[in-house]
Amino acid sequence: MSSKKILDLDTIVLNDEQNEVVIIDQTLLPNELKYLHLKTLNDFWDAIYHLKVRGAPAIGIAAAYGVYLGVKNSLANTYEKFYEEFTKAKEYLASSRPTAVNLFWALDRMEKVVVNNKNKELEGIKKLLKEEADKIKEEDIWVNKSIGEYGLSLLKPGWGILTHCNAGQLATAKYGTALAPIYLGHEKGYNFKVFADETRPLLQGARLTTYELLMAGIDVTLICDNMASIVMKNGWIQAVLVGCDRVAANGDTANKIGTSGVAILAHNYGIPFYVCAPTSTIDMNCKTGNEIPIEERKPEEVTEKWFNKRMAPEGVRVYNPAFDVTDAKFITAIITEYGIAHPPFEESLKKIFEIKQQKQKNKI
Amino acid sequence: MSSKKILDLDTIVLNDEQNEVVIIDQTLLPNELKYLHLKTLNDFWDAIYHLKVRGAPAIGIAAAYGVYLGVKNSLANTYEKFYEEFTKAKEYLASSRPTAVNLFWALDRMEKVVVNNKNKELEGIKKLLKEEADKIKEEDIWVNKSIGEYGLSLLKPGWGILTHCNAGQLATAKYGTALAPIYLGHEKGYNFKVFADETRPLLQGARLTTYELLMAGIDVTLICDNMASIVMKNGWIQAVLVGCDRVAANGDTANKIGTSGVAILAHNYGIPFYVCAPTSTIDMNCKTGNEIPIEERKPEEVTEKWFNKRMAPEGVRVYNPAFDVTDAKFITAIITEYGIAHPPFEESLKKIFEIKQQKQKNKI
């Protein structure tokens, strides 16, 4: 297992000749590596709804390819008919996971291709749709690779690195966000020693992070969330890398529940704590973490899910927030695809967006 | 369920007329409340070995009653014969859990009763054995109640209290250690709001702490270990209460894995962190926490136990320490049955033992 390369674990691959997209069924990990061949719109809807594909970027890419394949073999002979079919396909896929912002973002990008090219041949529009979906995937890979390179510049060979949840290859097209510096370092022989929090209640760390790192031949040790303090105290951790769901303009960061605790521990032990954040997750209109609402999920995730019997008495009250907000003061740096932001983040994040604007201007 | 009193949940009760001890089968909690009637030495051995009774004090009491019942109906008619039978019973019970210090301590106390009274009638010795076992239980209740009263003096009605693992009634004869202040406060209408960490990997918080608090009608909310930070940040916690396995002379405290992380979080949020420690767990010959060895347990506890399938890939490395050491600097006070020790603990713990010696002298 340990000799396989990360490329064996491609999260989403279009096989255009076969009219299919191949994904890994993440609900079967870590016990079984099964590739699914998504062909119909229903296949895509089902894969997204049942979390067979997960992670904001991966969902967006899957939906983009899904809507492309959904109209690729359309027999429509007018633009109006074609657009109607496209809209139907788009709306169907959008209903698969109504809270996934990236899903709508990707589908909207695809729709713009149709609308902006209404005067072109239908076959030409189909080709542009494929190119747009490819571009969404390629951009994701570029963003992650860039985060990986900036992140790697902060790390040294042989370091112990702790991560929480799964912000890895399995959540993106490639590399992941928090795991990108680890993968790039691995390619350069950095020999990191990674510690993965299991990440209760959904165990993404145990099920997914250890799986993909093992597959890539990276040294990884699984711990329970409450063991982060002792591994830091043992001197085994030189940096913490986490992903994020949303970063406020002041640097406060919402991420998987438990992240704020890890940040406070790292701060206490003098260990740098890095947030890996594509600029798409940085919300400059959100002033501080106080404005970020925290989703509460079902008690059963804590008391029953995964277990072979109930692990808490019937009727016990459960608090099950999906995220928490890490105060900016515990964050050493925020690593984006356009550079590294250091405190004070109000200024440094603004600068990141200026660089982004400049680079995008230069491209055009 | 919420109207039951804690007395309904007696952990260990001798029913001398029936030649039996009644315990709760803790392996069936929280799904079933089943009382076991232990009659034979084999019953006791099995109950201790299979963790049907657990917690250092509870194991000691069960063993004391076990060895008493084991020889109570002995037909021996000489002291030598009786002592031989007693020794056999004692050694058999001692083999049930070879790492439980309290088990040997209790059995040694029982043996001293036999040896010190060798000139008495055998029926008299049997009576003294029962009295010694009762005394071990009563002393445990006194210790816990005293810790409860001292602890309660630090708390205010309506407070939110976080606890980790199970240092409750189910681990002792009554009240528990960390939960004793909560039970005594409940009797006085303090209306605490308790938050129980589930305590991975063995889930003692989810399975046992929430169970016994619910049974006592105390307001309790279950959280995953990694949610302690957010509940503190939410302002819901005014004090943390934990038990301990061993306290060093400088106040460093070994307790269930995860305790040190909770202490650091409490320190960060300005929340007092209290260790409830019977003086029997304070080891003045152990200078600091560095001298306390940390037991590592099987990977399967993290990856498989309780789950309906493996939750981590085959072959993944797992670090599974059973305990961690909380630095004295994060401990607000150590609550013992002879009073409350404040920093610097080197001095205050010494004083606690002086008080203990004085009080024991006065008794004699």
Side-chain angles (χ1 to χ4, degrees), chain A residues 199-319:
Chain A
T199 318
R200 285 279 293 149
L202 296 183
L203 297 171
Q204 295 92 335
R207 294 185 299 115
L208 305 175
T209 299
T210 65
Y211 184 83
E212 62 170 88
L213 292 176
L214 263 189
M215 287 290 277
I218 292 170
D219 185 311
V220 58
T221 300
L222 173 64
I223 59 171
C224 296
D225 300 312
N226 66 22
M227 297 167 189
S229 175
I230 192 172
V231 300
M232 289 180 184
K233 192 176 183 183
N234 288 348
W236 297 348
I237 307 298
Q238 281 68 51
V240 177
L241 291 176
V242 297
C244 63
D245 288 86
R246 198 163 163 201
V247 177
N250 74 339
D252 289 351
T253 295
N255 188 43
K256 184 60 60 203
I257 186 66
T259 304
S260 74
V262 176
I264 292 166
L265 293 178
H267 182 79
N268 171 71
Y269 289 109
I271 296 165
F273 181 91
Y274 298 118
V275 172
C276 296
T279 50
S280 61
T281 62
I282 302 172
D283 183 352
M284 297 301 278
N285 294 320
C286 175
K287 275 192 185 165
T288 76
N290 294 332
E291 295 174 25
I292 303 175
I294 299 299
E295 174 196 358
E296 275 187 54
R297 296 173 61 88
K298 286 188 196 163
E300 289 76 20
E301 286 185 353
V302 175
T303 57
E304 288 180 48
K305 192 178 171 74
W306 310 128
F307 298 127
N308 50 28
K309 56 180 178 183
R310 266 190 78 90
M311 281 294 134
E314 289 283 353
V316 69
R317 193 185 307 121
V318 176
Y319 177 55

Side-chain angles (χ1 to χ4, degrees), chain A residues 6 77 83 90 118 198 204 220 290 350-351 356:
Chain A
I6 44 173
N77 47 16
Y83 183 57
K90 183 199 155 191
K118 65 185 298 183
E198 64 175 6
Q204 295 92 335
V220 58
N290 294 332
K350 245 186 234 162
K351 209 164 269 173
K356 180 178 180 174

Side-chain angles (χ1 to χ4, degrees), chain A residues 198 200 229 233 260 317 327, chain B residues 198 200 229 233 260 327:
Chain A
E198 64 175 6
R200 285 279 293 149
S229 175
K233 192 176 183 183
S260 74
R317 193 185 307 121
D327 285 355
Chain B
E198 66 175 5
R200 285 279 292 150
S229 175
K233 192 176 183 182
S260 75
D327 286 354

